[in-house]
Amino acid sequence: MFAYIVRRLLFVPPTLFVIILINFAVVQVLPGGPVEQMISQITGEAVDATARVSGNVGGETASDSGSAGGTSSGAVESKYRGAQGLPPEFIKDLEKQFGLDKPAHERFFLMLGNYLTFDFGDSYFKDASVVELVVSKMPVSISLGLWTTLLVYLISIPLGVAKAVRDGTKFDVWTSGVIIVGTAIPGFLFAILLIVLFSGGRYFDWFPLRGLVSENFDELTTLQQIADYFWHLTLPIISMVIGGFAGLAMLTKNSFMEEINKQYVVTARSKGVTEKRVLYGHVFRNAMLIVIAGFPSAFIGILFTGALITEIIFSLDGLGLLGFEAALNRDYPVMFATLYFFTLMGLVLGIIGDVMYHVIDPRIDFESREA
């Protein structure tokens, strides 16, 4: 098993390289880069302000060189949309500021070299380093992902086992109806419904609408802080759990049904083994393999995909929202760093999932399978 883990770890760097390379190449052809984003921010201000930002290049402002909306005498046709009328030296300063004055391949390998030393640079549009931003947003996303995954598994596994044992009964039928509804309705609709019902939207004002903690959080006692923390998380977690437990519950049921019908279960029952021991001493370990195998992808999905819309709806400033805003604003250092972080965590959790396979059932030997 050790050799298998080592081989999997050796595949992590090339996998990261390929994923980042593909995304870097895609970004190069997308319109609206950071230079255009900055231009769009400053063109709404007085034109002479842009000249001051550029160090008053050429000793004159744009307002001195022509009428508003005209072209500066020193300006030339620019490859950036909205840059007409701006001094070319100013555009070059922007390119240098964002590191876009170098060829694409040089910027790519420079970024990789920095990543090897965990130097993710600074945000283009926020006065903070990428590491500071990620660390500051991490508690929100981890809170959502951790508690949601825990509750999803605590609900889905017992429910799936109960449905398998009571297959075809009224309990199985009505719980299947609930699961179908949970699968069919997107989680963000549940989130909106919860806000309307319980967060002052129309009926009750029982829970806060936004944020992870209250503004006076530091003034509260320890018990009050814990209560305040879970008070803010209640509605976001409920909205994510409703949409997340359905698929896992059915997966657990189907896994148990498949194992229950196998010959070793019939043999155990014929030997007089109790039903409880058959289910939890024999069937459970084998049936849980496929459920555990899906844990890494489930956690990643909840943490970085399902939490994204939830963070937006409940104004929770987490990693998902950070990466989404970075992609919209073309904040490349933040965008590539969050991509790097998400991919690395996904690869590591995949290895952990395989290790858990072996821990639960030592008979599974990945090394012999590869051989």
Side-chain angles (χ1 to χ4, degrees):
M1 189 64 184
F2 176 77
Y4 171 79
I5 294 175
V6 171
R7 284 196 296 271
R8 285 292 301 272
L9 289 174
L10 291 176
F11 273 109
V12 169
T15 304
L16 280 172
F17 175 83
V18 172
I19 292 175
I20 294 177
L21 175 61
I22 293 174
N23 284 272
F24 184 87
V26 170
V27 163
Q28 304 311 305
V29 298
L30 291 178
V35 173
E36 290 180 331
Q37 293 289 332
M38 181 62 72
I39 290 173
S40 67
Q41 291 182 20
I42 64 178
T43 49
E45 304 174 359
V47 182
D48 59 349
T50 63
R52 287 197 298 269
V53 173
S54 63
N56 201 7
V57 177
E60 63 176 4
T61 63
S63 58
D64 295 329
S65 60
S67 60
T71 302
S72 166
S73 60
V76 295
E77 188 69 22
S78 175
K79 63 181 178 180
Y80 299 108
R81 184 174 54 188
Q84 289 77 10
L86 295 177
E89 294 83 358
F90 174 68
I91 302 300
K92 291 180 180 179
D93 287 343
L94 284 180
E95 290 180 335
K96 186 175 181 179
Q97 176 184 341
F98 296 127
L100 299 177
D101 56 331
K102 302 180 179 66
H105 68 277
E106 185 177 338
R107 287 186 277 118
F108 176 72
F109 286 107
L110 180 62
M111 181 181 69
L112 288 183
N114 292 332
Y115 280 14
L116 291 176
T117 59
F118 296 96
D119 178 12
F120 299 104
D122 298 323
S123 170
Y124 285 162
F125 304 107
K126 297 182 179 180
D127 188 20
S129 68
V130 173
V131 173
E132 290 175 350
L133 289 173
V134 170
V135 171
S136 66
K137 313 299 182 185
M138 195 175 293
V140 174
S141 295
I142 290 181
S143 295
L144 286 174
L146 180 63
W147 293 114
T148 301
T149 305
L150 179 63
L151 287 176
V152 163
Y153 271 76
L154 288 177
I155 293 173
S156 300
I157 293 177
L159 178 60
V161 173
K163 286 176 63 61
V165 174
R166 298 173 177 83
D167 182 47
T169 63
K170 291 183 178 180
F171 172 83
D172 183 39
V173 172
W174 73 260
T175 52
S176 295
V178 173
I179 288 175
I180 291 173
V181 172
T183 305
I185 301 179
F188 72 89
L189 289 182
F190 282 117
I192 296 173
L193 177 63
L194 290 173
I195 289 176
V196 172
L197 292 177
F198 303 112
S199 193
R202 190 178 182 91
Y203 297 97
F204 305 102
D205 191 8
W206 292 350
F207 296 94
L209 181 60
R210 59 176 58 87
L212 186 62
V213 294
S214 300
E215 294 181 359
N216 63 336
F217 183 78
D218 294 334
E219 302 173 3
L220 303 176
T221 64
T222 301
L223 290 179
Q224 289 175 332
Q225 288 180 343
I226 295 174
D228 182 77
Y229 168 76
F230 284 107
W231 183 46
H232 282 76
L233 279 179
T234 298
L235 294 187
I237 289 179
I238 289 176
S239 68
M240 294 174 65
V241 168
I242 290 176
F245 85 95
L248 185 59
M250 292 304 299
L251 177 63
T252 303
K253 177 194 173 182
N254 294 335
S255 298
F256 260 77
M257 291 294 297
E258 182 179 354
E259 293 297 323
I260 287 175
N261 295 324
K262 289 185 176 179
Q263 185 61 41
Y264 75 89
V265 176
V266 177
T267 303
R269 286 171 174 168
S270 66
K271 291 182 178 180
V273 180
T274 63
E275 189 67 16
K276 183 176 181 180
R277 181 169 178 77
V278 169
L279 287 176
Y280 297 100
H282 298 280
V283 175
F284 185 83
R285 183 178 66 179
N286 295 325
M288 283 299 98
L289 287 175
I290 191 171
V291 176
I292 291 173
F295 174 82
S297 59
F299 182 77
I300 289 294
I302 290 172
L303 184 58
F304 301 127
T305 305
L308 171 59
I309 299 178
T310 303
E311 288 177 7
I312 296 174
I313 293 175
F314 289 96
S315 299
L316 296 172
D317 197 7
L319 284 175
L321 185 58
L322 175 67
F324 178 71
E325 291 179 344
L328 289 180
N329 297 327
R330 303 296 191 268
D331 195 345
Y332 292 159
V334 177
M335 186 169 66
F336 285 117
T338 51
L339 172 67
Y340 179 87
F341 177 75
F342 296 163
T343 305
L344 180 60
M345 179 168 286
L347 293 172
V348 171
L349 286 177
I351 297 174
I352 293 175
D354 289 345
V355 173
M356 293 175 68
Y357 254 134
H358 182 74
V359 170
I360 291 178
D361 191 350
R363 294 174 300 174
I364 296 179
D365 188 353
F366 290 100
E367 295 183 20
S368 61
R369 289 177 60 184
E370 288 185 350

PDB file of all heavy atoms in Angstrom, residues 242-258:
ATOM      1  N   ILE A 242     -30.340  19.413   2.364  1.00  0.00           N
ATOM      2  CA  ILE A 242     -31.533  18.934   1.667  1.00  0.00           C
ATOM      3  C   ILE A 242     -31.195  18.469   0.259  1.00  0.00           C
ATOM      4  O   ILE A 242     -31.697  17.441  -0.205  1.00  0.00           O
ATOM      5  CB  ILE A 242     -32.607  20.047   1.623  1.00  0.00           C
ATOM      6  CG1 ILE A 242     -33.168  20.290   3.020  1.00  0.00           C
ATOM      7  CG2 ILE A 242     -33.744  19.663   0.668  1.00  0.00           C
ATOM      8  CD1 ILE A 242     -34.146  21.428   3.107  1.00  0.00           C
ATOM      9  N   GLY A 243     -30.362  19.201  -0.411  1.00  0.00           N
ATOM     10  CA  GLY A 243     -29.994  18.812  -1.760  1.00  0.00           C
ATOM     11  C   GLY A 243     -28.899  17.772  -1.829  1.00  0.00           C
ATOM     12  O   GLY A 243     -28.663  17.193  -2.883  1.00  0.00           O
ATOM     13  N   GLY A 244     -28.210  17.503  -0.700  1.00  0.00           N
ATOM     14  CA  GLY A 244     -27.058  16.614  -0.729  1.00  0.00           C
ATOM     15  C   GLY A 244     -27.295  15.214  -0.217  1.00  0.00           C
ATOM     16  O   GLY A 244     -26.588  14.280  -0.602  1.00  0.00           O
ATOM     17  N   PHE A 245     -28.284  15.033   0.661  1.00  0.00           N
ATOM     18  CA  PHE A 245     -28.438  13.717   1.290  1.00  0.00           C
ATOM     19  C   PHE A 245     -29.151  12.733   0.376  1.00  0.00           C
ATOM     20  O   PHE A 245     -29.019  11.515   0.550  1.00  0.00           O
ATOM     21  CB  PHE A 245     -29.208  13.849   2.615  1.00  0.00           C
ATOM     22  CG  PHE A 245     -30.699  13.847   2.471  1.00  0.00           C
ATOM     23  CD1 PHE A 245     -31.427  12.675   2.613  1.00  0.00           C
ATOM     24  CD2 PHE A 245     -31.384  15.015   2.186  1.00  0.00           C
ATOM     25  CE1 PHE A 245     -32.802  12.675   2.475  1.00  0.00           C
ATOM     26  CE2 PHE A 245     -32.750  15.021   2.062  1.00  0.00           C
ATOM     27  CZ  PHE A 245     -33.466  13.842   2.205  1.00  0.00           C
ATOM     28  N   ALA A 246     -29.931  13.232  -0.605  1.00  0.00           N
ATOM     29  CA  ALA A 246     -30.780  12.352  -1.405  1.00  0.00           C
ATOM     30  C   ALA A 246     -29.974  11.304  -2.176  1.00  0.00           C
ATOM     31  O   ALA A 246     -30.229  10.096  -2.076  1.00  0.00           O
ATOM     32  CB  ALA A 246     -31.612  13.197  -2.365  1.00  0.00           C
ATOM     33  N   GLY A 247     -28.994  11.753  -2.947  1.00  0.00           N
ATOM     34  CA  GLY A 247     -28.220  10.819  -3.754  1.00  0.00           C
ATOM     35  C   GLY A 247     -27.446   9.820  -2.914  1.00  0.00           C
ATOM     36  O   GLY A 247     -27.379   8.630  -3.254  1.00  0.00           O
ATOM     37  N   LEU A 248     -26.863  10.276  -1.809  1.00  0.00           N
ATOM     38  CA  LEU A 248     -26.084   9.376  -0.961  1.00  0.00           C
ATOM     39  C   LEU A 248     -26.974   8.348  -0.286  1.00  0.00           C
ATOM     40  O   LEU A 248     -26.570   7.197  -0.096  1.00  0.00           O
ATOM     41  CB  LEU A 248     -25.322  10.191   0.089  1.00  0.00           C
ATOM     42  CG  LEU A 248     -24.359   9.414   0.979  1.00  0.00           C
ATOM     43  CD1 LEU A 248     -23.289   8.721   0.153  1.00  0.00           C
ATOM     44  CD2 LEU A 248     -23.707  10.344   2.001  1.00  0.00           C
ATOM     45  N   ALA A 249     -28.195   8.734   0.100  1.00  0.00           N
ATOM     46  CA  ALA A 249     -29.118   7.785   0.721  1.00  0.00           C
ATOM     47  C   ALA A 249     -29.478   6.659  -0.245  1.00  0.00           C
ATOM     48  O   ALA A 249     -29.502   5.475   0.129  1.00  0.00           O
ATOM     49  CB  ALA A 249     -30.378   8.506   1.189  1.00  0.00           C
ATOM     50  N   MET A 250     -29.748   7.004  -1.507  1.00  0.00           N
ATOM     51  CA  MET A 250     -30.065   5.975  -2.493  1.00  0.00           C
ATOM     52  C   MET A 250     -28.852   5.108  -2.806  1.00  0.00           C
ATOM     53  O   MET A 250     -28.983   3.895  -3.023  1.00  0.00           O
ATOM     54  CB  MET A 250     -30.590   6.630  -3.768  1.00  0.00           C
ATOM     55  CG  MET A 250     -31.953   7.297  -3.627  1.00  0.00           C
ATOM     56  SD  MET A 250     -33.225   6.170  -3.011  1.00  0.00           S
ATOM     57  CE  MET A 250     -33.245   4.931  -4.312  1.00  0.00           C
ATOM     58  N   LEU A 251     -27.675   5.705  -2.825  1.00  0.00           N
ATOM     59  CA  LEU A 251     -26.454   4.942  -3.055  1.00  0.00           C
ATOM     60  C   LEU A 251     -26.245   3.930  -1.936  1.00  0.00           C
ATOM     61  O   LEU A 251     -25.886   2.768  -2.178  1.00  0.00           O
ATOM     62  CB  LEU A 251     -25.253   5.884  -3.149  1.00  0.00           C
ATOM     63  CG  LEU A 251     -23.879   5.232  -3.322  1.00  0.00           C
ATOM     64  CD1 LEU A 251     -23.812   4.461  -4.637  1.00  0.00           C
ATOM     65  CD2 LEU A 251     -22.777   6.282  -3.274  1.00  0.00           C
ATOM     66  N   THR A 252     -26.483   4.365  -0.686  1.00  0.00           N
ATOM     67  CA  THR A 252     -26.345   3.458   0.455  1.00  0.00           C
ATOM     68  C   THR A 252     -27.352   2.327   0.379  1.00  0.00           C
ATOM     69  O   THR A 252     -27.023   1.154   0.607  1.00  0.00           O
ATOM     70  CB  THR A 252     -26.539   4.235   1.768  1.00  0.00           C
ATOM     71  OG1 THR A 252     -25.608   5.313   1.831  1.00  0.00           O
ATOM     72  CG2 THR A 252     -26.335   3.321   2.964  1.00  0.00           C
ATOM     73  N   LYS A 253     -28.603   2.653   0.039  1.00  0.00           N
ATOM     74  CA  LYS A 253     -29.633   1.618  -0.070  1.00  0.00           C
ATOM     75  C   LYS A 253     -29.267   0.586  -1.139  1.00  0.00           C
ATOM     76  O   LYS A 253     -29.340  -0.631  -0.907  1.00  0.00           O
ATOM     77  CB  LYS A 253     -30.979   2.248  -0.400  1.00  0.00           C
ATOM     78  CG  LYS A 253     -32.077   1.194  -0.590  1.00  0.00           C
ATOM     79  CD  LYS A 253     -33.317   1.749  -1.231  1.00  0.00           C
ATOM     80  CE  LYS A 253     -34.290   0.597  -1.539  1.00  0.00           C
ATOM     81  NZ  LYS A 253     -35.522   1.069  -2.206  1.00  0.00           N
ATOM     82  N   ASN A 254     -28.894   1.061  -2.320  1.00  0.00           N
ATOM     83  CA  ASN A 254     -28.568   0.138  -3.412  1.00  0.00           C
ATOM     84  C   ASN A 254     -27.358  -0.731  -3.076  1.00  0.00           C
ATOM     85  O   ASN A 254     -27.312  -1.917  -3.447  1.00  0.00           O
ATOM     86  CB  ASN A 254     -28.313   0.928  -4.694  1.00  0.00           C
ATOM     87  CG  ASN A 254     -29.559   1.633  -5.201  1.00  0.00           C
ATOM     88  OD1 ASN A 254     -30.681   1.203  -4.914  1.00  0.00           O
ATOM     89  ND2 ASN A 254     -29.379   2.717  -5.936  1.00  0.00           N
ATOM     90  N   SER A 255     -26.384  -0.151  -2.374  1.00  0.00           N
ATOM     91  CA  SER A 255     -25.210  -0.933  -1.971  1.00  0.00           C
ATOM     92  C   SER A 255     -25.613  -2.038  -1.008  1.00  0.00           C
ATOM     93  O   SER A 255     -25.145  -3.186  -1.123  1.00  0.00           O
ATOM     94  CB  SER A 255     -24.172  -0.026  -1.322  1.00  0.00           C
ATOM     95  OG  SER A 255     -23.717   0.956  -2.224  1.00  0.00           O
ATOM     96  N   PHE A 256     -26.465  -1.711  -0.044  1.00  0.00           N
ATOM     97  CA  PHE A 256     -26.925  -2.717   0.920  1.00  0.00           C
ATOM     98  C   PHE A 256     -27.770  -3.782   0.239  1.00  0.00           C
ATOM     99  O   PHE A 256     -27.636  -4.976   0.540  1.00  0.00           O
ATOM    100  CB  PHE A 256     -27.722  -2.039   2.037  1.00  0.00           C
ATOM    101  CG  PHE A 256     -26.927  -1.815   3.288  1.00  0.00           C
ATOM    102  CD1 PHE A 256     -26.008  -0.777   3.355  1.00  0.00           C
ATOM    103  CD2 PHE A 256     -27.078  -2.642   4.387  1.00  0.00           C
ATOM    104  CE1 PHE A 256     -25.261  -0.564   4.491  1.00  0.00           C
ATOM    105  CE2 PHE A 256     -26.332  -2.439   5.532  1.00  0.00           C
ATOM    106  CZ  PHE A 256     -25.416  -1.405   5.593  1.00  0.00           C
ATOM    107  N   MET A 257     -28.650  -3.381  -0.679  1.00  0.00           N
ATOM    108  CA  MET A 257     -29.488  -4.352  -1.376  1.00  0.00           C
ATOM    109  C   MET A 257     -28.635  -5.337  -2.169  1.00  0.00           C
ATOM    110  O   MET A 257     -28.930  -6.547  -2.215  1.00  0.00           O
ATOM    111  CB  MET A 257     -30.443  -3.612  -2.314  1.00  0.00           C
ATOM    112  CG  MET A 257     -31.526  -2.805  -1.607  1.00  0.00           C
ATOM    113  SD  MET A 257     -32.699  -3.838  -0.703  1.00  0.00           S
ATOM    114  CE  MET A 257     -33.431  -4.760  -2.037  1.00  0.00           C
ATOM    115  N   GLU A 258     -27.598  -4.827  -2.793  1.00  0.00           N
ATOM    116  CA  GLU A 258     -26.717  -5.709  -3.567  1.00  0.00           C
ATOM    117  C   GLU A 258     -25.997  -6.711  -2.665  1.00  0.00           C
ATOM    118  O   GLU A 258     -25.862  -7.890  -3.006  1.00  0.00           O
ATOM    119  CB  GLU A 258     -25.703  -4.872  -4.339  1.00  0.00           C
ATOM    120  CG  GLU A 258     -24.776  -5.686  -5.215  1.00  0.00           C
ATOM    121  CD  GLU A 258     -23.790  -4.821  -5.978  1.00  0.00           C
ATOM    122  OE1 GLU A 258     -23.908  -3.584  -5.918  1.00  0.00           O
ATOM    123  OE2 GLU A 258     -22.889  -5.397  -6.616  1.00  0.00           O
TER     124      GLU A 258
END
